[in-house]
Amino acid sequence: MRRVLVTRPEPGASATARALRQAGFEPVVLPVTEIRPIELTKTALPMIDAVALTSANAIRHAPGWLLASFRTIPVHAVGATTAREARDAGFAGVGAGRGGAAGLAAAMGEALAPASAVLYLCGKVRKPDFELGLRGRGIRVIPIETYDTVPSDFADDEADKLGASQLFAVLLHSAEAAKALAKLATRPAVAHLFESARLIAISRRAAVPAEAVFAGRIVVARVPTEAAMLVALSGSG
């Protein structure tokens, strides 16, 4: 069976592993990054017109007092997974975008009046595109960082989880994971496992930090979703 490395952290890693098994692959789970909540001091928030989410982790790690402060405010999520996380957290007015962060910014720009205020729950490590997209439409963005993404500090014996057989492919969900993956894939003890592995990336930008290691073996998903990544994986040979 073709072995595919899952590099994302939990709880997403287990969901990805299930999807891989259903598609006939053998998942190998070894997260190369960790998600750590950021402790926030309780404070009063300004008046806001909407809430934006470009990551399920943003709401997953938000403290209860913060969630309670916008229960009645419309929530705009980047995709179905993030929207589901918001609904599971008790929010009813949740909309799901389909075109990544840029598409979400465009949709919110059309839905909201200029000078509207948007509370943006986000990670410490993020691309500026979404915020710039809203501000370019005259919308005020109030970012609140609820989590951080850091490289996993695993020892060589933990890397043994990769097993002894070569990997068919590696799934890559972020640029931060790509940086950590590039270091892992060049470790002398495990480098041979990656020699012919394809890199299936959620976006071109996410793949860039690992390009030198996987030169000529990178496949980018047609759209930035895991479903599209699995389609790319199935069509990669």
Side-chain angles (χ1 to χ4, degrees):
M1 189 176 291
R2 294 173 294 180
R3 304 173 72 239
V4 178
L5 177 62
V6 179
T7 62
R8 69 189 308 197
E10 293 292 2
S14 292
T16 299
R18 286 193 297 271
L20 285 170
R21 291 190 190 95
Q22 292 172 358
F25 297 94
E26 178 186 348
V28 179
V29 177
L30 184 65
V32 297
T33 59
E34 298 176 10
I35 301 299
R36 296 180 181 174
I38 293 176
E39 186 174 349
L40 298 174
T41 301
K42 188 172 183 179
T43 184
L45 296 176
M47 294 293 293
I48 56 174
D49 300 290
V51 176
L53 301 170
T54 56
S55 168
N57 284 314
I59 197 162
R60 193 176 288 145
H61 296 289
W65 66 263
L66 179 57
L67 298 179
S69 68
F70 60 86
R71 288 286 182 192
T72 61
I73 305 297
V75 175
H76 299 257
V78 71
T81 299
T82 304
R84 183 167 56 250
E85 193 72 29
R87 295 187 187 103
D88 289 347
F91 296 92
V94 181
R98 296 182 180 178
L104 181 62
M108 292 185 70
E110 294 176 0
L112 299 173
S116 295
V118 171
L119 178 67
Y120 178 31
L121 299 189
C122 54
K124 185 174 183 179
V125 178
R126 64 187 185 276
K127 297 179 291 187
D129 306 39
F130 177 72
E131 289 160 88
L132 292 175
L134 284 185
R135 288 171 179 147
R137 292 170 171 81
I139 294 173
R140 181 187 175 200
V141 184
I142 306 165
I144 295 184
E145 299 170 353
T146 65
Y147 71 98
D148 195 8
T149 305
V150 299
S152 298
D153 185 20
F154 44 75
D156 284 338
D157 59 343
E158 291 177 286
D160 287 344
K161 294 175 183 177
L162 292 173
S165 303
Q166 284 204 336
L167 295 163
F168 171 72
V170 180
L171 297 186
L172 184 67
H173 290 74
S174 71
E176 290 304 303
K179 295 173 187 176
L181 174 64
K183 294 180 179 179
L184 172 64
T186 53
R187 284 192 184 191
V190 298
H192 65 285
L193 301 177
F194 293 89
E195 287 177 352
S196 61
R198 300 156 177 80
L199 182 65
I200 311 298
I202 197 167
S203 68
R204 170 56 60 184
R205 182 178 295 190
V208 168
E211 278 185 333
V213 179
F214 292 87
R217 294 179 282 133
I218 297 176
V219 181
V220 178
R222 185 176 59 84
V223 293
T225 66
E226 182 164 284
M229 292 173 72
L230 294 178
V231 170
L233 173 64
S234 297
S236 64

